PDB file of all heavy atoms in Angstrom:
ATOM      1  N   ASP A 529       1.650  14.146 -18.913  1.00 97.00           N
ATOM      2  CA  ASP A 529       0.582  13.503 -19.694  1.00 97.00           C
ATOM      3  C   ASP A 529      -0.117  14.556 -20.549  1.00 97.00           C
ATOM      4  O   ASP A 529      -0.106  15.743 -20.208  1.00 97.00           O
ATOM      5  CB  ASP A 529      -0.416  12.800 -18.764  1.00 97.00           C
ATOM      6  CG  ASP A 529      -1.379  13.799 -18.136  1.00 97.00           C
ATOM      7  OD1 ASP A 529      -0.916  14.665 -17.360  1.00 97.00           O
ATOM      8  OD2 ASP A 529      -2.585  13.741 -18.435  1.00 97.00           O
ATOM      9  N   PHE A 530      -0.722  14.103 -21.642  1.00 97.00           N
ATOM     10  CA  PHE A 530      -1.279  15.089 -22.586  1.00 97.00           C
ATOM     11  C   PHE A 530      -2.651  15.621 -22.162  1.00 97.00           C
ATOM     12  O   PHE A 530      -3.124  16.600 -22.713  1.00 97.00           O
ATOM     13  CB  PHE A 530      -1.326  14.525 -24.014  1.00 97.00           C
ATOM     14  CG  PHE A 530      -2.404  13.484 -24.242  1.00 97.00           C
ATOM     15  CD1 PHE A 530      -3.637  13.839 -24.762  1.00 97.00           C
ATOM     16  CD2 PHE A 530      -2.174  12.159 -23.927  1.00 97.00           C
ATOM     17  CE1 PHE A 530      -4.637  12.885 -24.975  1.00 97.00           C
ATOM     18  CE2 PHE A 530      -3.166  11.187 -24.126  1.00 97.00           C
ATOM     19  CZ  PHE A 530      -4.398  11.556 -24.642  1.00 97.00           C
ATOM     20  N   VAL A 531      -3.288  14.975 -21.175  1.00 96.00           N
ATOM     21  CA  VAL A 531      -4.633  15.414 -20.767  1.00 96.00           C
ATOM     22  C   VAL A 531      -4.555  16.561 -19.746  1.00 96.00           C
ATOM     23  O   VAL A 531      -5.321  17.519 -19.831  1.00 96.00           O
ATOM     24  CB  VAL A 531      -5.452  14.238 -20.202  1.00 96.00           C
ATOM     25  CG1 VAL A 531      -6.856  14.701 -19.805  1.00 96.00           C
ATOM     26  CG2 VAL A 531      -5.537  13.100 -21.204  1.00 96.00           C
ATOM     27  N   TYR A 532      -3.630  16.444 -18.808  1.00 97.00           N
ATOM     28  CA  TYR A 532      -3.606  17.414 -17.711  1.00 97.00           C
ATOM     29  C   TYR A 532      -2.252  18.123 -17.545  1.00 97.00           C
ATOM     30  O   TYR A 532      -2.168  19.342 -17.653  1.00 97.00           O
ATOM     31  CB  TYR A 532      -3.917  16.725 -16.378  1.00 97.00           C
ATOM     32  CG  TYR A 532      -5.316  16.181 -16.246  1.00 97.00           C
ATOM     33  CD1 TYR A 532      -5.558  14.819 -16.361  1.00 97.00           C
ATOM     34  CD2 TYR A 532      -6.391  17.023 -15.985  1.00 97.00           C
ATOM     35  CE1 TYR A 532      -6.847  14.304 -16.217  1.00 97.00           C
ATOM     36  CE2 TYR A 532      -7.676  16.525 -15.838  1.00 97.00           C
ATOM     37  CZ  TYR A 532      -7.904  15.165 -15.946  1.00 97.00           C
ATOM     38  OH  TYR A 532      -9.164  14.669 -15.804  1.00 97.00           O
ATOM     39  N   THR A 533      -1.213  17.341 -17.233  1.00 98.00           N
ATOM     40  CA  THR A 533       0.008  17.997 -16.741  1.00 98.00           C
ATOM     41  C   THR A 533       0.831  18.632 -17.856  1.00 98.00           C
ATOM     42  O   THR A 533       1.559  19.590 -17.606  1.00 98.00           O
ATOM     43  CB  THR A 533       0.867  17.012 -15.916  1.00 98.00           C
ATOM     44  OG1 THR A 533       1.149  15.854 -16.719  1.00 98.00           O
ATOM     45  CG2 THR A 533       0.134  16.577 -14.666  1.00 98.00           C
ATOM     46  N   GLY A 534       0.707  18.128 -19.100  1.00 98.00           N
ATOM     47  CA  GLY A 534       1.375  18.796 -20.224  1.00 98.00           C
ATOM     48  C   GLY A 534       0.851  20.226 -20.337  1.00 98.00           C
ATOM     49  O   GLY A 534       1.607  21.184 -20.501  1.00 98.00           O
ATOM     50  N   LYS A 535      -0.460  20.362 -20.216  1.00 98.00           N
ATOM     51  CA  LYS A 535      -1.107  21.680 -20.307  1.00 98.00           C
ATOM     52  C   LYS A 535      -0.735  22.552 -19.104  1.00 98.00           C
ATOM     53  O   LYS A 535      -0.549  23.768 -19.219  1.00 98.00           O
ATOM     54  CB  LYS A 535      -2.621  21.512 -20.425  1.00 98.00           C
ATOM     55  CG  LYS A 535      -3.015  20.746 -21.690  1.00 98.00           C
ATOM     56  CD  LYS A 535      -4.490  20.402 -21.782  1.00 98.00           C
ATOM     57  CE  LYS A 535      -4.738  19.530 -23.024  1.00 98.00           C
ATOM     58  NZ  LYS A 535      -6.173  19.202 -23.221  1.00 98.00           N
ATOM     59  N   LEU A 536      -0.603  21.919 -17.945  1.00 98.00           N
ATOM     60  CA  LEU A 536      -0.216  22.641 -16.723  1.00 98.00           C
ATOM     61  C   LEU A 536       1.175  23.254 -16.851  1.00 98.00           C
ATOM     62  O   LEU A 536       1.366  24.450 -16.576  1.00 98.00           O
ATOM     63  CB  LEU A 536      -0.253  21.654 -15.541  1.00 98.00           C
ATOM     64  CG  LEU A 536       0.384  22.111 -14.240  1.00 98.00           C
ATOM     65  CD1 LEU A 536      -0.412  23.253 -13.612  1.00 98.00           C
ATOM     66  CD2 LEU A 536       0.482  20.940 -13.249  1.00 98.00           C
ATOM     67  N   PHE A 537       2.161  22.455 -17.279  1.00 98.00           N
ATOM     68  CA  PHE A 537       3.528  22.979 -17.370  1.00 98.00           C
ATOM     69  C   PHE A 537       3.655  23.977 -18.522  1.00 98.00           C
ATOM     70  O   PHE A 537       4.426  24.931 -18.432  1.00 98.00           O
ATOM     71  CB  PHE A 537       4.545  21.843 -17.483  1.00 98.00           C
ATOM     72  CG  PHE A 537       4.700  21.096 -16.188  1.00 98.00           C
ATOM     73  CD1 PHE A 537       4.137  19.837 -16.019  1.00 98.00           C
ATOM     74  CD2 PHE A 537       5.364  21.659 -15.119  1.00 98.00           C
ATOM     75  CE1 PHE A 537       4.250  19.150 -14.813  1.00 98.00           C
ATOM     76  CE2 PHE A 537       5.484  20.986 -13.908  1.00 98.00           C
ATOM     77  CZ  PHE A 537       4.923  19.734 -13.755  1.00 98.00           C
ATOM     78  N   PHE A 538       2.896  23.749 -19.590  1.00 98.00           N
ATOM     79  CA  PHE A 538       2.874  24.740 -20.673  1.00 98.00           C
ATOM     80  C   PHE A 538       2.383  26.073 -20.115  1.00 98.00           C
ATOM     81  O   PHE A 538       2.978  27.128 -20.374  1.00 98.00           O
ATOM     82  CB  PHE A 538       1.958  24.273 -21.811  1.00 98.00           C
ATOM     83  CG  PHE A 538       1.949  25.218 -22.980  1.00 98.00           C
ATOM     84  CD1 PHE A 538       2.748  24.986 -24.092  1.00 98.00           C
ATOM     85  CD2 PHE A 538       1.155  26.369 -22.961  1.00 98.00           C
ATOM     86  CE1 PHE A 538       2.757  25.872 -25.164  1.00 98.00           C
ATOM     87  CE2 PHE A 538       1.161  27.259 -24.026  1.00 98.00           C
ATOM     88  CZ  PHE A 538       1.971  27.016 -25.128  1.00 98.00           C
ATOM     89  N   ALA A 539       1.301  26.021 -19.352  1.00 98.00           N
ATOM     90  CA  ALA A 539       0.739  27.250 -18.776  1.00 98.00           C
ATOM     91  C   ALA A 539       1.760  27.925 -17.872  1.00 98.00           C
ATOM     92  O   ALA A 539       1.936  29.149 -17.919  1.00 98.00           O
ATOM     93  CB  ALA A 539      -0.533  26.919 -17.995  1.00 98.00           C
ATOM     94  N   PHE A 540       2.451  27.130 -17.069  1.00 97.00           N
ATOM     95  CA  PHE A 540       3.456  27.718 -16.170  1.00 97.00           C
ATOM     96  C   PHE A 540       4.523  28.462 -16.967  1.00 97.00           C
ATOM     97  O   PHE A 540       4.852  29.614 -16.654  1.00 97.00           O
ATOM     98  CB  PHE A 540       4.104  26.644 -15.289  1.00 97.00           C
ATOM     99  CG  PHE A 540       5.338  27.149 -14.600  1.00 97.00           C
ATOM    100  CD1 PHE A 540       5.241  28.103 -13.593  1.00 97.00           C
ATOM    101  CD2 PHE A 540       6.598  26.703 -14.977  1.00 97.00           C
ATOM    102  CE1 PHE A 540       6.376  28.611 -12.976  1.00 97.00           C
ATOM    103  CE2 PHE A 540       7.739  27.200 -14.367  1.00 97.00           C
ATOM    104  CZ  PHE A 540       7.625  28.157 -13.368  1.00 97.00           C
ATOM    105  N   THR A 541       5.065  27.831 -18.010  1.00 95.00           N
ATOM    106  CA  THR A 541       6.129  28.496 -18.768  1.00 95.00           C
ATOM    107  C   THR A 541       5.584  29.736 -19.484  1.00 95.00           C
ATOM    108  O   THR A 541       6.283  30.743 -19.600  1.00 95.00           O
ATOM    109  CB  THR A 541       6.801  27.558 -19.799  1.00 95.00           C
ATOM    110  OG1 THR A 541       5.799  27.034 -20.657  1.00 95.00           O
ATOM    111  CG2 THR A 541       7.525  26.412 -19.144  1.00 95.00           C
TER     112      THR A 541
END
Side-chain angles (χ1 to χ4, degrees):
D529 79 295
F530 73 95
V531 181
Y532 294 104
T533 56
K535 298 173 185 183
L536 168 68
F537 288 105
F538 183 97
F540 167 69
T541 56

